[in-house]
Amino acid sequence: MSVDKAYDITQDLIQYLLSLDIDYFCISPGSRSTPLTLTLAKYQNAKKAIFYDERAAAYHAVGYARATGKPAVLICTSGTAPANYFPAVMEANNDRLPLIVISADRPFELYDTGANQTVNQQNLYGTNVGGFANIEANGTMAGKDLIQAKEIVQLSVKQNKPVQINVMYKKPLEPSEDYNFSKIFEQNISETTRNTKDIDIKTEFIIIGELNYLESCKMRELLVNTKIPFWADIRSGLRNLNVANNISNFEDIVENSPDRTPTNIAHIGGKLVSKKITDYLLNSHKTILTAFTFREQKAETFCKARYVYNISILDNIKIFNMSYKDILFMQYISIPANSGYTDYNICKYIYNNAPNNACIFSGNSMSVRNFDAYSGKESKALYFAANRGVSGIDGNIASAVGMAAGLKGIAKKLICVIGDITAIHDLNSLSTLQYAGMPVTIIILNNHGGSIFSKLPIRKYKEEFDYWKTPHNLNFKGAAEMFGLDYYIVSDFSSFKESFMEDSCKHRLIEVEI
């Protein structure tokens, strides 16, 4: 039967993914994707998470990739469903994260006929993916199509990029009654291998950008054995490395004492949150910059680098001090203590008082900037992430939960810090907390509007400013009740500290009125 042939093709694709240890599948409900979902349901060794909303599923997959360095697989039906993946695909592409979209589709003969739930899904994401393959699962060339799809999978793994596999199914979508779901297919799998290299990094100062969890572990091993001073972006997961050569206040040195900055600088990793340091690297005439990037990441500062080298966590990396300068040339510039009830002090308190082995996920806009500017180094294991590839406001809760799912067995608690507008964008993702695998604390900094725009020149147009700030009088108590979270609302620093430090194994939502 033609339908059973489609199931053979689907089984072969799923088995191929599992053979590469790609075993985390984010499934959204739909009819046209029935062969994919039913096949996955039969495989006990496939980890499956079910999502009401494709956008949440896709951002969950982004968070999972940040934590593991592995792609999650997105499964959806036809029509608008794969279009809802688009923002997360853009994020993954910009931050060089692997991601595999398998979009179910209707056959070619229904294209451009006005048929229900039918759109042209061919290469839906354009240049935002590293590759595209189409499988006509019931067609005579399905086997050849499958070979191309497997090559696309390899591309995602090797190049750390999102890819799309579009699978066309004809009705009926259910297999024959005696179909065998335990068929074993002969597989010609080209191994995912990487050539290891000897990498010598000679410098007098290191700037570390965004890293995923495995890259962060690699750099941690290297940095504890060197005396070269370094500054770690908050998304590197290394800000908390409590060693003397961790110059956590380098941003203040750049701003207040640029004459004390080094000349030869190595930038390791991806983008930086700090605009001050980015601008300094771009505009400094004395800086000699060399970039070393995992996953072939891109960063604004790389245009200033003399050389850009692609490196891997499998490489034999050695760091040498070029000048052997004493790190006292960058003595600590003290930051005045300020314990006021402000969003940046709340972020600083969260970072400094988060429990050991916690993972922190920050929303964009003000939260991640506050963490980056004010968090010091604390001697504990913390992992930190934020969606700064394209810095969207959407999907932040979903990404946080995806990160926690990827760090299951490594981290003990997830702390997600977001603004009120960001929370409103992604409230439905509170339904995904069941996949976190650890207690989750959602902290919503509620200043009743988008405060980031008050930092821009447009704020001088006071009468028109509401179009940017989008003020509201909402609170999040109802959302906490709807999704079964313990709820706290605080309006002063002491109340926040008490709520935050409460030892709880339950999912919680702390609303901070600012």
Side-chain angles (χ1 to χ4, degrees):
M1 291 178 64
S2 175
V3 65
D4 286 351
K5 176 182 179 180
Y7 271 85
D8 285 349
I9 291 293
T10 303
Q11 273 208 83
D12 199 333
L13 178 60
I14 298 301
Q15 286 191 10
Y16 182 76
L17 292 167
L18 293 172
S19 73
L20 296 179
D21 197 31
I22 300 171
D23 60 357
Y24 195 75
F25 296 82
C26 302
I27 304 171
S28 296
S31 175
R32 192 59 55 165
S33 53
T34 293
L36 288 160
T37 303
L38 185 58
T39 301
L40 278 169
K42 299 290 186 179
Y43 281 84
Q44 299 302 312
N45 56 335
K47 304 182 185 80
K48 296 161 287 255
I50 302 169
F51 294 83
Y52 311 128
D53 170 33
E54 287 84 7
R55 186 179 74 171
Y59 273 109
H60 183 94
V62 165
Y64 180 84
R66 288 197 190 283
T68 64
K70 293 168 46 179
V73 183
L74 295 167
I75 304 289
C76 73
T77 189
S78 62
T80 62
N84 283 295
Y85 292 154
F86 212 138
V89 168
M90 294 168 69
E91 176 69 24
N93 183 55
N94 237 34
D95 249 1
R96 296 303 292 248
L97 300 171
L99 180 70
I100 299 171
V101 173
I102 303 182
S103 51
D105 197 2
R106 291 162 187 247
F108 275 125
E109 57 262 30
L110 295 182
Y111 272 29
D112 202 25
T113 65
N116 185 50
Q117 205 172 323
T118 305
V119 297
N120 187 338
Q121 296 177 195
Q122 301 298 303
N123 203 9
L124 182 63
Y125 310 107
T127 58
N128 291 284
V129 292
F132 169 78
N134 188 72
I135 302 175
E136 292 188 72
N138 306 83
T140 57
M141 301 297 289
K144 185 176 181 181
D145 292 344
L146 182 61
I147 292 172
Q148 184 183 8
K150 290 178 179 179
E151 291 173 353
I152 292 299
V153 170
Q154 287 282 341
L155 188 151
S156 179
V157 173
K158 291 179 178 179
Q159 296 187 12
N160 295 289
K161 282 192 171 187
V163 297
Q164 181 195 4
I165 300 171
N166 192 62
V167 190
M168 295 177 142
Y169 293 110
K170 294 182 179 181
K171 287 187 175 181
L173 299 171
E174 297 75 26
S176 59
E177 290 186 8
D178 59 349
Y179 182 75
N180 180 10
F181 275 99
S182 59
K183 292 180 181 178
I184 302 299
F185 296 91
E186 294 223 3
Q187 312 211 6
N188 263 326
I189 301 176
S190 58
E191 292 186 5
T192 304
T193 58
R194 299 179 189 272
N195 295 323
T196 60
K197 308 182 292 292
D198 290 331
I199 304 293
D200 292 343
I201 300 176
K202 298 179 180 179
T203 187
E204 58 184 0
F205 189 76
I206 301 170
I207 287 177
I208 307 169
E210 186 269 340
L211 303 172
N212 69 25
Y213 176 75
L214 296 175
E215 294 158 358
S216 182
C217 292
K218 172 79 171 183
M219 288 305 304
R220 184 177 291 267
E221 292 176 6
L222 293 170
L223 290 171
V224 295
N225 294 314
T226 180
K227 293 183 179 181
I228 301 176
F230 67 90
W231 174 83
D233 180 270
I234 195 70
R235 288 206 306 160
S236 69
L238 297 169
R239 179 66 63 84
N240 61 307
L241 193 56
N242 195 9
V243 291
N245 48 320
N246 182 352
I247 312 299
S248 60
N249 68 318
F250 185 59
E251 190 175 73
D252 299 290
I253 296 170
V254 163
E255 184 176 19
N256 300 313
S257 301
D259 56 305
R260 297 164 68 183
T261 58
T263 299
N264 291 283
I265 296 178
H267 179 165
I268 303 176
K271 297 178 184 177
L272 309 178
V273 172
S274 172
K275 191 173 187 305
K276 290 179 183 177
I277 294 178
T278 298
D279 288 347
Y280 169 76
L281 293 176
L282 290 174
N283 299 316
S284 171
H285 297 295
K286 75 170 185 177
T287 300
I288 300 172
L289 184 67
T290 307
F292 299 84
T293 169
F294 296 98
R295 292 174 275 138
E296 298 185 19
Q297 297 156 294
K298 299 186 184 301
E300 189 179 0
T301 56
F302 290 179
C303 67
K304 186 71 180 291
R306 286 194 175 185
Y307 301 100
V308 179
Y309 297 98
N310 297 317
I311 61 176
S312 162
I313 58 173
L314 301 178
D315 290 336
N316 178 30
I317 303 173
K318 295 180 180 178
I319 302 176
F320 300 93
N321 195 323
M322 180 180 287
S323 63
Y324 296 94
K325 284 185 179 179
D326 193 302
I327 64 170
L328 292 179
F329 81 100
M330 289 194 303
Q331 290 175 347
Y332 195 90
I333 299 174
S334 61
I335 304 172
N338 185 337
S339 57
Y341 185 60
T342 60
D343 53 357
Y344 61 81
N345 273 320
I346 288 169
C347 290
K348 180 179 178 180
Y349 184 86
I350 291 168
Y351 190 87
N352 291 344
N353 292 278
N356 196 42
N357 289 316
C359 53
I360 300 175
F361 188 95
S362 171
N364 290 310
S365 299
M366 292 306 301
S367 298
V368 70
R369 290 174 171 85
N370 288 332
F371 276 114
D372 191 56
Y374 299 105
S375 298
K377 50 191 182 185
E378 293 294 321
S379 183
K380 66 179 78 169
L382 285 178
Y383 182 62
F384 189 100
N387 283 344
R388 297 287 293 177
V390 287
S391 298
I393 197 173
D394 42 356
N396 279 257
I397 296 173
S399 287
V401 177
M403 184 181 79
L407 292 175
K408 196 180 299 183
I410 298 172
K412 303 298 183 185
K413 184 174 186 176
L414 167 65
I415 302 167
C416 175
V417 185
I418 53 178
D420 47 313
I421 303 298
T422 299
I424 291 169
H425 262 260
D426 201 28
L427 280 179
N428 65 317
S429 289
L430 293 174
S431 65
T432 70
L433 295 182
Q434 60 183 305
Y435 301 118
M438 62 188 69
V440 177
T441 297
I442 305 286
I443 299 173
I444 299 176
L445 305 176
N446 189 357
N447 51 28
H448 299 281
S451 65
I452 184 65
F453 298 108
S454 63
K455 307 292 183 182
L456 302 178
I458 195 65
R459 68 184 183 275
K460 69 182 181 181
Y461 295 92
K462 295 181 180 179
E463 292 184 9
E464 296 84 2
F465 190 54
D466 280 359
Y467 288 98
W468 282 263
K469 192 174 186 300
T470 55
H472 63 85
N473 292 312
L474 303 174
N475 67 54
F476 296 89
K477 181 178 181 181
E481 291 175 349
M482 178 178 179
F483 293 103
L485 282 70
D486 286 354
Y487 175 75
Y488 307 78
I489 185 165
V490 300
S491 55
D492 59 70
F493 214 159
S494 60
S495 298
F496 170 74
K497 291 177 182 178
E498 182 180 352
S499 300
F500 179 74
M501 296 304 293
E502 182 180 306
D503 188 16
S504 175
C505 292
K506 296 181 179 180
H507 298 324
R508 307 186 299 158
L509 191 157
I510 302 175
E511 181 173 352
V512 182
E513 288 273 6
I514 296 179

